[in-house]
Amino acid sequence: MSAALAWAVGNWRLIAVAGLLALLGLQTVRLAEQRSDTASARTELADYRATAAESARLAERAQRTLEQTWRTRVDGVIQDGQKQIAAARADADRAGDAARQLHQQLATYRAAVRAASAAPAAAAGGPTTADPLDLLADLFGRADARAGELARIADKRGAAGTICERHADAVTLP
């Protein structure tokens, strides 16, 4: 047997302890590397969570800004619509006043025609003109009333349609 082999057989315990110490050192290095990798992963996770939280805050802020923009636009549309409806009502009131004045003038004219046809000279001259005049006045009155109704309906629907279109435009994404 060689001297080296004899020494190794005699000192096997020393060699085993040295081997175990070498393995222990290797495991310590591997454990340190794993701890470093774990710390790095934790840092990356914390950064990711911070980035995700900031992204969520920014997205929420953007959504709130968009909602506020929509609300402002819709409020403007509502206010404009109310102004248009008020203007249409005022126009309808003025038209109604004009129609009432015209009816009063027509009533005055009809009274004058009746008074003239009731005079003795007109009675001998021919047939009375009050009946056709009454028919014409009645026809005119009904036509005027219906035209007023249709105008109110058209104004109301026109304003509502305009408001609806503007509302849809206001909430459309930019």
Side-chain angles (χ1 to χ4, degrees), residues 41-111:
R42 284 185 178 154
T43 303
E44 288 177 14
L45 179 61
D47 290 345
Y48 171 76
R49 286 180 176 166
T51 302
E54 181 64 21
S55 294
R57 280 191 296 274
L58 291 174
E60 183 178 354
R61 183 180 305 144
Q63 185 62 33
R64 289 182 189 266
T65 301
L66 181 60
E67 289 172 358
Q68 183 61 38
T69 300
W70 285 349
R71 173 57 34 208
T72 301
R73 288 179 184 174
V74 168
D75 287 345
V77 167
I78 290 170
Q79 289 173 358
D80 288 345
Q82 289 172 344
K83 288 177 185 176
Q84 287 179 0
I85 290 171
R89 285 182 181 155
D91 288 345
D93 290 342
R94 282 191 298 274
D97 291 342
R100 279 187 287 282
Q101 288 176 352
L102 192 56
H103 285 293
Q104 288 173 351
Q105 290 174 355
L106 181 61
T108 303
Y109 177 72
R110 287 172 57 195

Side-chain angles (χ1 to χ4, degrees), residues 31-46:
L31 181 61
E33 287 176 358
Q34 287 300 318
R35 285 183 179 164
S36 174
D37 289 347
T38 301
S40 176
R42 284 185 178 154
T43 303
E44 288 177 14
L45 179 61

